[in-house]
Amino acid sequence: MARVAIVTGGSRGIGRATAVKLGARGDAVVVGYAGNADLAAEVVREIVGAGGQAVAAQADVADEKQVAALFDLAEQTYGGVDTVVNSAGIMVLSPVADIDLDDLDRMHRTNIRGTFVVTREAARRVRDGGAIVTISTSVVGLQLPSYAGYAASKAAVEATSLILARELRGRQITVNTVAPGPTATSFFLDGKDQETIDRMAKQPPLERLGTPEDAAEMVAFLTGPQGHWINGQTIRSNGGII
């Protein structure tokens, strides 16, 4: 019987690459998306076209009723939930002195509250032996100017994941965080000039930006049998930038 994965933020970027990767290895995938139904449908078609199983579902990760419905769909369609990857997130950059508090609240609603809502549901519903993965950022360690609000929200994600891993003792469920470095997605690239992109690409010793597939490979490892001994960790998948 196929394992069942829920991937939030699954319509683009790292979430999309993760959904496709898990579908290719045989998982039945529920592709969660916030608003772009067309992009989510493309992901489903890609997975199904390659012989996999997938369905798309809209859910605001900070809305507990919508997230519960996402898990209901997975259980009703595929019989249960084994893997949850919370890739949904937003980023607003600003110096602390200038930050718009509405932007800060919006970012923390998705990144912090959304993580709590999704992982709370996962803690209740993931079958024993499963895996939960959250997505952070290497900026938590790099501490770059203008990233304070975003980094603070993701530091909360890392702390929550470690504590949840300890709380799930006895159920053989792993909880880990993947923290990519600069990654060539619209999420990272939008609003940056080419000089900034080139400079950041040169930072890691491997001298390139990460790809969504780099992060997806790590998620696949952590949620597969080979990675099951890794638990309560934040993996900085960033080419050696820190």
Side-chain angles (χ1 to χ4, degrees):
M1 183 174 64
R3 290 171 65 84
V4 181
I6 294 174
V7 181
T8 70
S11 65
R12 63 181 70 200
I14 290 171
R16 176 178 184 139
T18 297
V20 170
K21 179 69 178 177
L22 298 187
R25 78 173 182 193
D27 293 10
V29 183
V30 177
V31 180
Y33 67 95
N36 197 319
D38 290 341
L39 284 180
E42 286 180 9
V43 180
V44 170
R45 285 195 296 271
E46 183 174 353
I47 294 170
V48 173
Q53 302 179 76
V55 63
Q58 190 276 333
D60 172 1
V61 292
D63 185 313
E64 62 271 28
K65 292 182 180 178
Q66 293 184 26
V67 169
L70 189 66
F71 279 75
D72 289 343
L73 177 66
E75 291 175 345
Q76 292 162 7
T77 306
Y78 299 119
V81 180
D82 302 290
T83 297
V84 174
V85 182
N86 187 36
S87 186
I90 61 174
M91 178 173 66
V92 179
L93 303 183
S94 171
V96 171
D98 301 325
I99 196 163
D100 184 304
L101 294 179
D102 288 338
D103 285 342
L104 182 69
D105 288 345
R106 182 167 57 89
M107 183 163 49
H108 285 196
R109 180 180 183 274
T110 295
N111 297 356
I112 299 178
R113 178 185 168 92
T115 293
F116 270 91
V117 171
V118 172
T119 55
R120 184 180 75 162
E121 205 68 29
R124 295 171 175 178
R125 301 220 214 176
V126 168
R127 291 185 283 213
D128 290 1
I132 300 167
V133 174
T134 59
I135 303 298
S136 180
T137 171
S138 288
V139 170
V140 172
L142 289 170
Q143 301 172 350
L144 299 175
S146 80
Y147 282 83
Y150 179 63
S153 73
K154 291 300 190 175
V157 170
E158 294 182 14
T160 302
S161 301
L162 171 56
I163 292 169
L164 180 59
R166 292 173 172 169
E167 292 175 347
L168 294 178
R169 174 184 292 271
R171 293 181 54 193
Q172 299 300 307
I173 295 172
T174 62
V175 187
N176 292 290
T177 300
V178 175
T183 302
T185 66
S186 59
F187 187 80
F188 167 77
L189 297 172
D190 288 352
K192 294 182 174 67
D193 59 36
Q194 192 60 48
E195 180 182 355
T196 299
I197 294 168
D198 290 344
R199 174 172 48 80
M200 296 187 80
K202 289 292 186 181
Q203 285 182 312
L206 298 182
E207 296 188 321
R208 67 170 175 86
L209 295 177
T211 67
E213 290 73 24
D214 290 328
E217 290 283 357
M218 179 56 66
V219 174
F221 175 73
L222 291 171
T223 59
Q226 298 90 343
H228 200 70
W229 187 235
I230 300 172
N231 191 25
Q233 303 300 311
T234 296
I235 311 297
R236 304 214 179 279
S237 176
N238 59 28
I241 196 170
I242 55 174

